[in-house]
Amino acid sequence: MKVLYNVLTEFVDIKAAPADLASRLSLAGVAIDSVEDSAAGPVLDAEVTANRPDCLGHYGIAREVAAVYRMQLKPVQPKLKEVADNAADATRVEIESPDVCRRFTARILRGVKVQPSPDWLRERLEAMGQKSINNVVDVTNYVMFELGQPLHAYDFDKLNERRIAVRRARPGEKLCTLDGAERTLTRDMCVIADATRAIGIGGVMGGTDTEISFSSHNILLEAAWFDPIYVRRTAKALGLRTEASYRFERGADPEMAELASRRAAELIQQVAGGELLSGVVDVYPSREPEKKIQLARKEILRVMGADIPDRGVEEILSALGFHPTRVDANRGSDGSLAAVWECKQVSWRRDVTRGIDLIEEVARHYGYDKFPPRLPPAKKPAHRLPHAEAQDRLVERAIALGYHEIVEIPIADTQRDALFREEGIQPAVIGNPLAEDASIMRSSGIVSMVRAIEWNLNHGNRDLRLFEFGKRYELRDGAPVESAVLTLGATGLAREKTIYETAREFGFAELKGALDQIGELAGGLEWQAGGPPWLSAARSAHFSAKNKGEQLGVAGQLSRRLAEQLKLRQEVYLAELKLEPLYTCIEATRAALRFVPWPRYPAVERDFSLVLADGVTFAQVEQTIRALAIAEIQSIEAADLFRGGQIPAGKYSLMIRVKFQSSQGTLTDSQLAEFSSRTVTALEQKLDATLRAS
Amino acid sequence: MTTSDPTAQTLEQLGVKTLEAVGEKFAELRQRFDDQSSLHFSNRENWQVFLVKWTGRKSGVLSQITNNWLKMASPELKPVVGQELNKLKAHVESIIAERQRAIEAASEQSAAARDKIDLSLPGIERSFGTRHLIRQTFEELQQIFIAIGFSVVQGPEIETPYYNFEALNIPEHHPARDNMDTFYIEGVRNSHLLRTHTSPMQIRTMEKEKPPVRIVVPGKVYRRDNPDATHGYMFHQIEGLAVDTDITFCDFKGTVEYFAREFLGPKTKTRLRPSYFPFTEPSAEVDATCHVCGGKGCRVCKFSGWIELFGAGMVNPAVYGFVKYDPERLSGFAFGMGVDRLAMMKYGVTEVPLLFQNDLRFLRQFP
């Protein structure tokens, strides 16, 4: 809210300069964002929190100023010149919806001269951010900014039967509001009506039919109180937020209504002349009884951890209007630990109802800076997240393998998400999305990974290796389920050409190698051919943890169809791993790690160059050799592979390297010869392999 | 070896009979050696042949002379032949050694030029990945709080209105909801939303655990705001909560000051400005002296010397009612930090979208 320094000075004798005032107010809880000059003097821009509707008027801010400088707040005492005729004889007010409208006051002015406002009023309103309309409307707005109470002036002559009813809108009832829009009202809304029709929406906005124009002479001045929840609902339903609704929905002061009406009447007489009928029609069916709140020093100590002297407590609470009085047995003893103050609950602070609320009031004006800092001793050991260690290991691997971590917004395009969704998954759809391309909680990490790759390729970053720790979201039996996933994505060069090395394109083998190196942490991966439909049929796989059988994830090349659809012009490799089972495997593997001594006797390597039919796999070769159950075999590796040249079509050459080692002694030539011949024989017989002369 | 080679013959066969003649023969040889050594010196291969020719053990000139001249010499000439041979040997060896040194020096020189590393060329680098700036910041924040006894917990992003609002003392139609426009999930049995802050985990934790409670909650949160340079509709928060029988505002201040010094540097000062959050009371905005200018005022802090860190406060006793904690016995504090904002501030990232585009050029800047 825009706060005019010169208006504040009418309520409190400020000596401080605007800048000093601004910083003191900020440190007491009324944040002042800036101080600027205007035709009406310095303007402070106050950011008022939702609990402080009292500070949506200058008077409330002035009360804060009074508390800051421990000064007196001046009372508002309008001086009225009333004629003999009674307002109560001129009009009638009925509240038919007392649940929504707890108070309605009406004053009548006759023969006012509606004209442009005088300069001082226009300048002040403009500095407050309000356009000047005419002198009467301007006064209602001015008093709202001054005292925080929204007001409305009706052209009294246009009120059918010159009376007011506050009632629920009739279904389908229509009203043209001051902003020129025709509104269709509902039963939930509360209208101000005359004998026949709605003339305003309670707490929100008046109607055009009865608005003040330059031809208006007689006016009815409304100052009322509307229920915050009702106003909030109504304003929201109509999409109509006004200065009035903004105040009512935060909670206006019902006691202020009549005073503000008096103040507005005073000002209207001042700027527009006319006669004020005597008295006010004030319908206030259920005035709240005055309540008390107690504040105990031991609570201050318990919550704040340090004391505030009696004088501080009392000066601050008095300045804020709470009327503190000591009610404990030790009254009169200054600084008593048993001190208890009884305070009045005030109508303008609906948020202050408990002792803790008063503690905050006292503490903020006493100064948060006066409480000594202290680090509380810990009583329990602190823990990281349950799988933090396993995640650390995974992150280390991924980074060492050259993958960059990304962080994605897990809200995806609905259609795009469906491309990568696992069968049978019910996605979590956002009911009120901001945009179509951000309308669903992603059902895989892949959809985001593809987005990141797409972004980079479109921005000239061709060689990518990325990973993300994130979640995928779904509904199961109508309940949301979030599961953690690790997603990998890669494209372009796996190795750039340098003066030392040649370039190498990223291929499936790169992805498999990376996953196997990651999988090593989990005790190794077991690969099976075939993957989801968004992967290329020839280059896709799924994998589980070795010896566990639980599926851990999928990997492969993005299918050509999708790559074309997404306009990705290079091969893209993707993998997604389910983190919960992976973490479990990593933790189990880690827990089972034990030192294994290496054999004391030397290892011997033997290479076998095999010619195999296409389709015979390395795994078959390995299994065939393993089936011989030669205990001395330490490892079997694929050392070289090629097609063409001297190798006939339909066949390929695979060189395998077998490492023999015994823990019993050095292997003899005859032992090795026997191993070799058994190996070759088995491969010849089982796989129809032939041995190439090497 | 041709017969014309004098060294293949004995002195007698050469008709050398006098001491003078012996001297002449040796002088001839010496002359020949000198001529050839100069001739072959410049060519490496010829030099090797030359060396073998003169010093080879079997048929080198010196061996030949020893065998054919010295051993076969008449007793009267033998001492002189021996002396002459020794003089020739000494001469040959010294010349060869000298030439050899020169050759080695030259080859070392050329080898040094060839083998010398060019330090300005790059080494062989294995490509390394990076952690995302947000994740690095999360790690840092968590470590700061773990060190003073805060355990890390996580919670769901798809939440119920109860945990996100009601139990945090934000009833329906509360104006505080204005700042928390919410995404709702379609078709979930009991209406669900995307949490607008990490605070629901305050409630979930207190429901499960007895005090003392001391937690931090990292995670993603969502607000239905149109995105711009400083706001996204998703951002990251880290929530903190400490509740016990003896936690006071002073502990809250101490914790906040400790955090600011750890995160922004040991000289950082903090101040608390009273503020409002429905689930804390008293509430405060925590400011720190600007990490760029140290509080003197600069562009980063808009010349105020202070930067806004996060919102916090003492837990509102109303919240304890929702988790069946005794508000008369317990007290505590809570805070909620915008991690993206803290990271951007600390590392000078100017626009929110940079954080989530995941452009490689951005990722690489924070190894």
Side-chain angles (χ1 to χ4, degrees):
Chain A
M1 195 188 76
K2 304 280 187 197
V3 179
L4 271 59
Y5 182 84
N6 293 342
V7 175
L8 292 178
T9 57
E10 292 174 11
F11 301 122
V12 59
D13 290 320
I14 312 172
K15 304 280 185 300
D20 177 55
L21 180 63
S23 93
R24 292 289 300 269
L25 275 174
S26 289
L27 288 175
V30 181
I32 304 295
D33 287 347
S34 64
V35 181
E36 277 163 19
D37 269 323
S38 79
V43 182
L44 288 69
D45 191 4
E47 196 188 312
V48 178
T49 52
N51 61 326
R52 296 302 302 274
D54 62 308
C55 285
L56 295 175
H58 282 70
Y59 195 63
I61 303 263
R63 188 182 288 117
E64 289 293 321
V65 175
V68 165
Y69 294 101
R70 312 283 197 270
M71 288 186 298
Q72 283 293 308
L73 180 68
K74 295 176 192 169
V76 182
Q77 290 169 318
K79 291 181 185 62
L80 302 178
K81 287 171 282 175
E82 295 179 332
V83 295
D85 294 352
N86 271 323
D89 296 333
T91 188
R92 209 169 80 228
V93 172
E94 265 178 279
I95 300 180
E96 293 170 20
S97 313
D99 54 328
V100 171
C101 176
R102 218 194 293 160
R103 187 178 195 184
F104 194 103
T105 70
R107 276 198 160 77
I108 307 290
L109 288 114
R110 275 197 311 228
V112 298
K113 191 157 186 246
V114 181
Q115 54 191 13
S117 288
D119 287 349
W120 72 265
L121 181 55
R122 191 179 40 75
E123 280 168 7
R124 282 192 170 188
L125 271 180
E126 280 168 3
M128 290 168 181
Q130 176 70 45
K131 209 175 67 183
S132 171
I133 295 163
N134 58 51
N135 50 3
V136 172
V137 173
D138 285 358
V139 165
T140 61
N141 283 330
Y142 181 78
V143 174
M144 171 174 71
F145 291 122
E146 187 183 50
L147 302 179
Q149 167 69 45
L151 298 126
H152 189 71
Y154 298 91
D155 187 330
F156 190 47
D157 298 325
K158 291 186 177 155
L159 261 57
N160 290 315
E161 298 180 20
R162 301 191 168 217
R163 64 182 178 89
I164 294 280
V166 184
R167 59 163 169 84
R168 293 281 173 175
R170 299 183 184 112
E173 190 168 10
K174 287 192 165 52
L175 172 71
C176 187
T177 44
L178 285 175
D179 57 351
E182 190 179 66
R183 313 260 173 194
T184 305
L185 310 176
T186 66
R187 271 292 293 159
D188 297 334
M189 296 173 187
C190 166
V191 294
I192 314 302
D194 61 14
T196 57
R197 58 182 174 156
I199 55 171
I201 301 168
V204 181
M205 194 179 258
T208 47
D209 285 355
T210 54
E211 86 180 288
I212 302 296
S213 66
F214 287 106
S215 57
S216 304
H217 293 291
N218 302 322
I219 62 175
L220 181 143
L221 185 64
E222 165 200 320
W225 189 93
F226 296 93
D227 178 68
I229 293 177
Y230 149 75
V231 172
R232 192 173 161 80
R233 273 204 194 119
T234 304
K236 219 173 173 176
L238 292 168
L240 184 59
R241 290 280 167 93
T242 61
E243 292 285 354
S245 74
Y246 190 73
R247 284 165 175 77
F248 283 127
E249 70 181 41
R250 280 161 173 69
D253 174 7
E255 293 300 309
M256 180 56 88
E258 199 279 327
L259 177 61
S261 162
R262 251 186 291 154
R263 169 68 175 149
E266 179 192 30
L267 277 177
I268 288 172
Q269 281 194 299
Q270 198 181 310
V271 300
E275 300 174 344
L276 175 65
L277 299 200
S278 163
V280 61
V281 179
D282 185 357
V283 185
Y284 195 178
S286 50
R287 183 172 184 170
E288 281 191 351
E290 198 167 271
K291 288 184 194 144
K292 301 282 186 194
I293 323 169
Q294 289 202 336
L295 169 62
R297 165 160 281 128
K298 73 173 186 15
E299 273 299 285
I300 297 180
L301 288 167
R302 187 178 78 90
V303 175
M304 301 305 292
D307 199 12
I308 303 171
D310 285 16
R311 224 186 99 178
V313 173
E314 286 162 16
E315 277 182 358
I316 291 163
L317 290 177
S318 300
L320 292 173
F322 291 106
H323 296 280
T325 36
R326 281 279 292 272
V327 291
D328 54 288
N330 293 350
R331 305 193 271 286
S333 132
D334 207 31
S336 164
L337 277 177
V340 176
W341 289 270
E342 190 171 78
C343 294
K344 233 176 77 179
Q345 200 172 319
V346 295
S347 57
W348 60 87
R349 289 295 302 273
R350 295 163 54 83
D351 62 320
V352 179
T353 58
R354 307 165 298 174
I356 185 72
D357 303 324
L358 289 174
I359 290 176
E360 179 174 46
E361 295 305 300
V362 174
R364 69 187 174 90
H365 277 292
Y366 179 63
Y368 282 178
D369 57 321
K370 297 204 179 65
F371 295 89
R374 178 177 70 200
L375 259 188
K379 293 182 187 167
K380 288 201 285 198
H383 299 287
R384 302 179 66 200
L385 283 171
H387 301 301
E389 300 292 336
Q391 198 188 60
D392 285 351
R393 300 288 86 76
L394 284 173
V395 170
E396 282 166 13
R397 285 271 153 143
I399 287 174
L401 288 164
Y403 286 74
H404 295 272
E405 187 179 32
I406 61 170
V407 170
E408 283 281 317
I409 300 172
I411 301 183
D413 180 288
T414 303
Q415 290 180 358
R416 182 70 80 87
D417 185 70
L419 299 177
F420 304 102
R421 191 177 304 143
E422 216 174 282
E423 215 173 303
I425 282 200
Q426 189 197 349
V429 179
I430 295 172
N432 57 339
L434 278 171
E436 186 53 35
D437 65 359
S439 53
I440 194 169
M441 294 306 284
R442 69 181 191 193
S443 32
S444 74
I446 296 290
V447 65
S448 305
M449 181 56 72
V450 168
R451 189 218 62 83
I453 289 173
E454 202 178 1
W455 169 278
N456 276 288
L457 293 182
N458 288 339
H459 290 81
N461 308 316
R462 281 197 64 245
D463 308 319
L464 304 165
R465 264 171 288 177
L466 307 173
F467 73 100
E468 189 200 15
F469 280 87
K471 284 179 177 178
R472 54 188 230 180
Y473 308 78
E474 61 180 298
L475 303 179
R476 272 185 222 156
D477 305 321
V481 175
E482 302 172 18
S483 22
V485 288
L486 167 59
T487 313
L488 301 186
T491 186
L493 292 177
R495 192 175 68 198
E496 282 179 48
K497 191 199 168 306
T498 67
I499 51 177
Y500 311 106
E501 292 176 304
T502 54
R504 193 175 64 232
E505 285 281 334
F506 196 97
F508 184 81
E510 296 276 350
L511 182 64
K512 182 168 190 271
L515 287 165
D516 274 333
Q517 285 183 286
I518 287 169
E520 186 194 9
L521 295 167
L525 301 182
E526 201 90 67
W527 289 80
Q528 291 95 29
W534 42 271
L535 289 176
S536 137
R539 294 178 182 173
S540 62
H542 54 286
F543 47 86
S544 53
K546 211 167 249 173
N547 311 324
K548 292 243 167 46
E550 187 165 7
Q551 283 300 318
L552 287 183
V554 295
Q557 185 190 341
L558 180 66
S559 77
R560 201 168 297 266
R561 180 179 57 84
L562 281 177
E564 270 168 29
Q565 188 180 331
L566 304 173
K567 298 196 177 67
L568 302 174
R569 289 194 181 81
Q570 47 190 67
E571 293 184 356
V572 170
Y573 290 86
L574 298 163
E576 183 150 298
L577 296 93
K578 294 176 185 160
L579 279 171
E580 281 296 331
L582 184 61
Y583 286 148
T584 311
C585 291
I586 291 173
E587 282 151 10
T589 305
R590 182 96 202 153
L593 284 184
R594 295 294 179 276
F595 171 68
V596 180
W598 47 87
R600 272 188 291 167
Y601 303 101
V604 182
E605 285 177 353
R606 285 284 181 273
D607 289 353
F608 301 92
S609 283
L610 308 170
V611 176
L612 298 162
D614 278 338
V616 176
T617 63
F618 172 66
Q620 286 174 290
V621 172
E622 190 180 356
Q623 278 155 19
T624 305
I625 300 171
R626 292 274 183 210
L628 295 170
I630 298 170
E632 287 80 2
I633 291 179
Q634 288 289 313
S635 64
I636 303 167
E637 280 168 20
D640 197 10
L641 186 155
F642 65 92
R643 287 185 162 82
Q646 296 172 340
I647 309 299
K651 306 226 172 214
Y652 73 106
S653 165
L654 177 70
M655 183 168 91
I656 56 164
R657 181 163 294 157
V658 183
K659 192 155 110 184
F660 299 96
Q661 193 169 29
S662 166
S663 54
Q664 310 301 318
T666 304
L667 295 170
T668 63
D669 284 349
S670 68
Q671 275 177 300
L672 288 166
E674 193 231 325
F675 295 156
S676 295
S677 91
R678 282 172 65 194
T679 301
V680 171
T681 308
L683 292 171
E684 283 170 348
Q685 288 177 352
K686 299 269 163 55
L687 300 178
D688 202 18
T690 53
L691 204 60
R692 275 180 76 229
S694 54
Chain B
M1 203 67 53
T2 58
T3 44
S4 65
D5 184 351
T7 61
Q9 295 165 297
T10 61
L11 289 173
E12 200 180 342
Q13 285 166 327
L14 291 168
V16 176
K17 294 191 174 90
T18 62
L19 294 175
E20 289 77 28
V22 169
E24 275 167 34
K25 279 290 165 207
F26 273 99
E28 277 168 32
L29 272 180
R30 183 180 178 129
Q31 189 57 51
R32 213 166 97 200
F33 173 80
D34 287 348
D35 293 349
Q36 289 183 358
S37 74
S38 311
L39 188 68
H40 297 312
F41 171 59
S42 57
N43 183 306
R44 195 175 266 253
E45 270 170 43
N46 292 351
W47 178 251
Q48 287 303 324
V49 172
F50 168 77
L51 283 184
V52 172
K53 187 177 170 190
W54 280 89
T55 60
R57 194 162 289 183
K58 276 185 185 164
S59 53
V61 171
L62 294 175
S63 302
Q64 296 268 55
I65 298 172
T66 309
N67 292 334
N68 299 333
W69 290 9
L70 180 64
K71 287 185 183 163
M72 298 299 179
S74 61
E76 50 284 18
L77 287 183
K78 208 168 212 167
V80 181
V81 175
Q83 279 171 24
E84 287 291 338
L85 178 58
N86 283 340
K87 277 199 277 183
L88 180 63
K89 249 186 194 166
H91 176 68
V92 166
E93 278 165 7
S94 87
I95 294 289
I96 286 177
E98 185 188 306
R99 293 282 150 100
Q100 200 72 27
R101 275 198 300 276
I103 287 172
E104 274 163 22
S107 86
E108 245 171 56
Q109 228 171 351
S110 73
R114 189 182 65 238
D115 295 347
K116 188 164 192 243
I117 53 168
D118 177 356
L119 260 182
S120 62
L121 282 175
I124 298 176
E125 291 182 12
R126 296 282 158 249
S127 57
F128 245 70
T130 51
R131 281 215 97 176
H132 193 280
L133 183 62
I134 290 297
R135 305 273 297 194
Q136 293 183 29
T137 309
F138 263 131
E139 268 318 304
E140 184 181 0
L141 296 173
Q142 288 175 35
Q143 283 310 319
I144 289 173
F145 285 106
I146 285 173
I148 54 167
F150 285 73
S151 285
V152 187
V153 297
Q154 262 181 340
E157 290 162 35
I158 303 180
E159 261 294 359
T160 63
Y162 176 77
Y163 286 109
N164 195 71
F165 291 125
E166 271 102 77
L168 287 162
N169 200 32
I170 317 173
E172 211 183 345
H173 304 297
H174 193 289
R177 290 200 184 187
D178 278 358
N179 303 326
M180 295 196 190
D181 272 347
T182 311
F183 287 115
Y184 290 93
I185 298 294
E186 251 176 27
V188 184
R189 232 186 355 242
N190 310 307
S191 76
H192 276 74
L193 46 76
L194 296 184
R195 67 178 176 193
T196 57
H197 45 193
T198 39
S199 313
M201 271 311 278
Q202 289 189 26
I203 305 301
R204 289 183 177 274
T205 304
M206 287 191 283
E207 276 181 347
K208 272 202 325 238
E209 282 177 33
K210 289 196 170 72
V213 165
R214 212 178 274 200
I215 53 160
V216 284
V217 190
K220 286 179 156 67
V221 303
Y222 304 83
R223 295 198 188 162
R224 200 178 174 280
D225 290 330
N226 280 307
D228 59 29
T230 55
H231 298 88
Y233 51 80
M234 187 281 299
F235 59 99
H236 295 90
Q237 270 194 340
I238 190 163
E239 187 85 8
L241 173 72
V243 178
D244 201 353
T245 49
D246 56 1
I247 300 276
T248 70
F249 190 82
C250 296
D251 298 306
F252 163 54
K253 266 187 82 169
T255 304
V256 159
E257 288 188 5
Y258 156 80
F259 162 77
R261 284 193 307 266
E262 290 290 311
F263 188 69
L264 294 173
K267 286 185 182 152
T268 309
K269 291 189 182 61
T270 48
R271 72 173 184 194
L272 301 178
R273 272 181 301 113
S275 186
Y276 170 70
F277 307 102
F279 41 102
T280 53
E281 180 155 347
S283 300
E285 287 285 349
V286 180
D287 294 344
T289 43
C290 177
H291 60 296
V292 175
C293 63
K296 287 187 206 79
C298 68
R299 249 176 22 158
V300 170
C301 60
K302 294 185 190 119
F303 302 97
S304 71
W306 296 94
I307 45 172
E308 228 178 274
L309 286 187
F310 54 89
M314 301 301 289
V315 177
N316 191 322
V319 171
Y320 295 134
F322 289 94
V323 296
K324 302 192 174 69
Y325 272 23
D326 180 359
E328 314 226 309
R329 212 173 55 83
L330 295 168
S331 53
F333 61 82
F335 54 81
M337 303 181 187
V339 175
D340 308 0
R341 223 182 70 79
L342 290 178
M344 288 172 72
M345 200 179 77
K346 188 164 171 177
Y347 296 96
V349 179
T350 46
E351 288 174 23
V352 166
L354 287 168
L355 294 174
F356 309 119
Q357 283 161 355
N358 291 308
D359 192 298
L360 195 62
R361 291 164 293 185
F362 178 84
L363 303 177
R364 282 212 164 119
Q365 286 193 20
F366 305 99

